[in-house]
C-alpha cells in the first residue's frame, strides 16, 4: 500500500499524522466498498476527540493506493447522536 501525492498533501494540510492512516487501515472500525469503486476505511481517533478518520483506497492499482484522507464530519455527527 502506498500514499498518493494528494493523500500526502492532505495529511500535511489537515495536520493528520501518517501513523493514523496505517492504524485505520490495520484496524478499521468499518470497511466498505464505496459507490466510487474505492474501499472506504473509517475509525474513531481517540487523540482527536474520537473524530472519525476516513481513508479511501483505490483497489485497482498495484500496489493499492491511498487516494485521500479526511475527518468525516457526517460520521462524527452520527456517533454523537448515538451517545
Amino acid at each position: 500500500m502506498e500514499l498518493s501525492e494528494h493523500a500526502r498533501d492532505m495529511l500535511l494540510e489537515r495536520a493528520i499524522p501518517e501513523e493514523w492512516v496505517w492504524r485505520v487501515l490495520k484496524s478499521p472500525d468499518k470497511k466498505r466498498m464505496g459507490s466510487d469503486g474505492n474501499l472506504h476505511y473509517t475509525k474513531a481517533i481517540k487523540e482527536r476527540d474520537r473524530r472519525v478518520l476516513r481513508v479511501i483506497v483505490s483497489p485497482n492499482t498495484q500496489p493499492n493506493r491511498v487516494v485521500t484522507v479526511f475527518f468525516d464530519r457526517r460520521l462524527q455527527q452520527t456517533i454523537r447522536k448515538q451517545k
Side-chain angles (χ1 to χ4, degrees):
M1 183 101 46
E2 65 183 19
L3 297 174
S4 68
E5 186 174 333
H6 174 77
R8 288 186 187 283
D9 290 344
M10 293 303 97
L11 291 177
L12 291 172
E13 182 179 307
R14 297 170 176 158
I16 299 170
E18 185 177 332
E19 184 274 324
W20 292 356
V21 172
W22 304 120
R23 185 189 313 172
V24 172
L25 294 173
K26 183 178 177 184
S27 179
D29 292 339
K30 196 178 264 189
K31 175 183 169 184
R32 68 173 183 82
M33 180 64 74
S35 59
D36 58 4
N38 291 320
L39 292 170
H40 292 239
Y41 296 79
T42 56
K43 184 174 188 69
I45 303 296
K46 65 182 176 180
E47 295 92 336
R48 283 280 177 96
D49 297 323
R50 303 208 44 84
R51 290 176 64 194
V52 177
L53 186 62
R54 182 180 295 269
V55 178
I56 299 177
V57 175
S58 171
N60 302 316
T61 59
Q62 289 302 322
N64 292 163
R65 183 173 295 130
V66 175
V67 176
T68 194
V69 179
F70 59 94
F71 282 102
D72 194 321
R73 290 186 178 118
R74 292 174 300 158
L75 290 180
Q76 183 61 28
Q77 291 169 357
T78 303
I79 289 173
R80 285 184 180 156
K81 288 178 184 177
Q82 292 175 352
K83 285 185 176 180

